Amino acid sequence: MACFKKPWFASSEFSRNLQQRPRTHHILTVPFFLLSLFLLSASYTSNSPTPYPAATPLFPPSSPFSNSHMLSKPRSRSTLSSVTAAERTHANSTNSDSQAIRDLASCDIFDGTWVRDEHAEPLYQHASCPYLDDAFNCFKNGRSDFDYLKYRWKPHGCHIPRFDGLKMLRMLRGKRVVFVGDSLNRNMWQSLACSLRASLKDKTRIYEVSGRREFRTQGFFSLNFRDYACSIEFVKSPFLVQEWKVLRNTGQRETLRLDMIQASKSQYNNADIIIFNTGHWWNHYKTRNGINYFQEGNHVYERLQVSEALRKALKTWADWVDSRVDRRRTRVFFTGFSASHYKGGQWNSGGKCDGEKEPITNERYLGEYPWTMRILESVISEMKTPVFYLNITKMTDYRKDGHPSVNNNNKGRLRTTVQDCSHWCLPGIPDSWNELLYATLLIAHNNTHF
Ligand SMILES: *[C@@H]1O[C@H](CO)[C@@H](O)[C@H](O)[C@H]1NC(C)=O
Ligand SMILES: CC(=O)N[C@H]1CO[C@H](CO)[C@@H](O)[C@@H]1O
């Protein structure tokens, strides 16, 4: 095995932590989620993405290696030395930047704390980005305290380099990046789109492929950065598997096909980077407690535990990735469960998070690692395709101060009764996820000389 170069991701934190983590298997109830305003049916635009120029693969062909290999090998030397080299490329940057990149590849970037930084500047200005959902645009919706933007994510073992949009676009030249999942991934996608846009001098060099701005109701959206022939896309697929309908004598009934990956017109399996997520829709409310909801083939389960259904669905997803995604070309990410902070109720029963102005500092008040992510981890560990897990659960759990709460454009009477304590204000917390994504690409970039 030592004769071929080990890809950067083979030694990711995912592998290490998977082994060390004690396995506890109890199921806990994830806070009920999702605002009625986002429970909209998936609809696709008729536009398909523009073709992409042939480009060098983002990740070099490497011999396929088994997952057990990926999980058991210690960190490779090449990954470590790449950091030193990356530091060199930062020679002209400030001291803190070169320090930032040191040890990046060998550190768990998801294990850290939020540090207050009075000089922190958002990656883009409020109201300056046209790609924001109204619901995420807290400034526009009346939020007046902006202290939540004054924190930086600081991993314990390293510094995160400053996000450089132009550098990221250069790395993504000719590439197609697709986010697939629920509205938390849309939150992240909009954050990335806005962060990259802010780095462009000429903002007209971004082409909205579908030419519309109703992000929320659309199932597919694509932004093309013309000068880089790069596209940043979002495909709505909250369960990753297919929402379905069956005809019963009582009428039509909605089900979820656990055995089918959700179809998408955008055919993203050949993208260069795919960033999946799922989690928040696997609650008892959305899945009707698993009663007459989950379906495999023609069989609709009278009752199936939501956790069992999630495992089946993720297995379907994993098989699809392993068989349909070319792992020599495509890098697969999975965004973990982003924490919600409803106090005194759930989203639909008066739960609140307004008035939260500071992050949690005492770890004792953090929630438990969600059962959904434990299932995800076990499914990923059996895949042939290396998946880089963006383990953001804990880092988001601290940030009870970053949600739209009442500043969610929930006009009228709803405004006082339904708060959004699941999604995040933008600019805001998802910008940090993209900084971590950027950091992982920096390492990959150097490792592969593309
Ligand atoms: C993800 O982070 C949690 C802490 O929030 C940790 O318990 C878990 O083991 C991590 N998973 C992986 C694969 O690193
Ligand atoms: C591990 C690795 O490939 N490191 C490379 C990083 O980039 C510099 C130059 O850009 C190379 O010299 C290193 O070999």
Side-chain angles (χ1 to χ4, degrees):
M1 294 304 267
C3 59
F4 57 83
K5 191 171 156 195
K6 195 171 171 186
W8 63 282
F9 45 83
S11 50
S12 72
E13 279 316 304
F14 182 80
S15 354
R16 265 200 324 178
N17 291 0
L18 256 191
Q19 293 181 302
Q20 292 165 358
R21 188 171 51 72
R23 292 194 176 265
T24 48
H25 282 289
H26 60 258
I27 303 296
L28 43 120
T29 323
V30 172
F32 274 54
F33 163 80
L34 228 72
L35 300 144
S36 47
L37 40 156
F38 296 121
L39 303 180
L40 295 165
S41 62
S43 63
Y44 298 109
T45 64
S46 52
N47 299 293
S48 43
T50 46
Y52 298 94
T56 48
L58 182 48
F59 305 96
S62 60
S63 312
F65 47 92
S66 71
N67 230 56
S68 56
H69 172 70
M70 179 178 114
L71 291 175
S72 59
K73 275 284 164 79
R75 182 168 306 285
S76 73
R77 273 199 164 277
S78 66
T79 312
L80 287 171
S81 58
S82 74
V83 177
T84 330
E87 262 184 277
R88 242 176 281 129
T89 68
H90 269 232
N92 296 332
S93 320
T94 64
N95 267 347
S96 71
D97 268 3
S98 53
Q99 193 188 0
I101 215 149
R102 186 181 309 146
D103 290 340
L104 196 54
S106 59
C107 116
D108 182 355
I109 54 178
F110 306 104
D111 179 26
T113 51
W114 291 94
V115 293
R116 197 170 162 91
D117 178 359
E118 294 302 331
H119 305 293
E121 284 290 332
L123 298 175
Y124 46 95
Q125 290 304 318
H126 307 96
S128 75
C129 184
Y131 310 129
L132 291 183
D133 268 4
D134 271 358
F136 303 154
N137 197 336
C138 297
F139 174 74
K140 190 169 157 191
N141 298 328
R143 182 158 181 165
S144 54
D145 62 300
F146 294 106
D147 264 17
Y148 72 101
L149 292 171
K150 295 284 177 207
Y151 294 87
R152 257 182 324 106
W153 177 247
K154 167 75 183 72
H156 290 309
C158 55
H159 293 262
I160 296 301
R162 223 189 129 65
F163 183 89
D164 180 339
L166 287 181
K167 188 162 183 173
M168 182 143 181
L169 281 169
R170 285 197 296 271
M171 291 194 282
L172 295 177
R173 190 183 291 281
K175 305 288 191 281
R176 184 175 174 207
V177 180
V178 186
F179 288 86
V180 182
D182 63 26
S183 51
L184 270 308
N185 241 12
R186 196 178 68 226
N187 225 181
M188 183 177 180
W189 165 72
Q190 288 181 11
S191 155
L192 183 61
C194 292
S195 305
L196 293 176
R197 179 183 184 274
S199 68
L200 291 187
K201 274 212 187 72
D202 181 359
K203 317 282 190 225
T204 65
R205 303 299 294 160
I206 307 174
Y207 172 63
E208 298 174 47
V209 176
S210 47
R212 286 200 238 151
R213 292 185 180 171
E214 269 307 303
F215 299 116
R216 217 192 268 171
T217 51
Q218 281 179 237
F220 168 66
F221 203 89
S222 174
L223 294 173
N224 200 314
F225 289 74
R226 291 180 169 180
D227 298 327
Y228 298 89
C230 153
S231 78
I232 310 289
E233 307 175 23
F234 173 72
V235 172
K236 178 177 176 177
S237 181
F239 290 108
L240 298 180
V241 289
Q242 186 69 48
E243 292 175 82
W244 200 251
K245 283 192 173 75
V246 286
L247 212 53
R248 288 289 163 99
N249 21 8
T250 47
Q252 255 196 359
R253 166 180 287 155
E254 285 178 11
T255 62
L256 188 67
R257 285 292 297 268
L258 301 174
D259 56 339
M260 272 172 83
I261 194 79
Q262 179 169 314
S264 166
K265 282 191 179 151
S266 88
Q267 302 212 334
Y268 56 80
N269 61 304
N270 60 0
D272 299 280
I273 295 180
I274 315 176
I275 302 163
F276 292 97
N277 92 324
T278 192
H280 282 270
W281 284 48
W282 296 91
N283 61 54
H284 296 274
Y285 174 82
K286 278 300 289 179
T287 61
R288 296 201 308 252
N289 271 317
I291 296 167
N292 292 321
Y293 185 63
F294 297 120
Q295 178 174 359
E296 277 183 299
N298 288 328
H299 178 64
V300 179
Y301 289 89
E302 227 171 89
R303 177 186 284 272
L304 185 69
Q305 280 215 341
V306 180
S307 56
E308 195 47 40
L310 173 64
R311 185 180 299 279
K312 285 173 183 287
L314 285 175
K315 192 75 181 72
T316 299
W317 165 80
D319 290 345
W320 182 86
V321 169
D322 278 346
S323 61
R324 296 290 308 281
V325 173
D326 179 354
R327 51 187 170 274
R328 288 165 307 176
R329 173 199 163 106
T330 304
R331 184 75 303 228
V332 177
F333 289 84
F334 206 109
T335 318
F337 193 89
S338 150
S340 304
H341 296 91
Y342 290 99
K343 230 159 110 180
Q346 299 302 339
W347 68 268
N348 55 358
S349 59
K352 289 185 176 6
C353 57
D354 62 324
E356 297 290 359
K357 305 278 189 267
E358 283 171 5
I360 292 172
T361 49
N362 189 336
E363 287 211 12
R364 280 196 310 166
Y365 299 123
L366 300 181
E368 270 189 81
Y369 192 54
W371 59 270
T372 46
M373 295 299 103
R374 291 203 190 285
I375 294 174
L376 174 73
E377 286 190 13
S378 87
V379 171
I380 288 179
S381 71
E382 274 159 23
M383 288 171 73
K384 293 197 206 90
T385 309
V387 174
F388 194 97
Y389 177 45
L390 294 166
N391 191 0
I392 56 164
T393 303
K394 192 170 174 188
M395 89 184 262
T396 53
D397 204 356
Y398 289 107
R399 299 308 305 271
K400 60 179 170 38
D401 56 330
H403 298 290
S405 65
V406 294
N407 307 116
N408 60 2
N409 199 32
N410 226 347
K411 296 196 189 79
R413 75 189 161 77
L414 274 177
R415 188 180 164 96
T416 49
T417 55
V418 178
Q419 295 197 7
D420 184 349
C421 309
S422 312
H423 300 98
W424 304 95
C425 294
L426 292 180
I429 282 55
D431 303 339
S432 302
W433 314 345
N434 283 313
E435 286 181 308
L436 298 180
L437 179 67
Y438 171 71
T440 63
L441 291 182
L442 269 185
I443 302 168
H445 178 70
N446 187 78
N447 266 357
T448 58
H449 312 280
F450 74 104

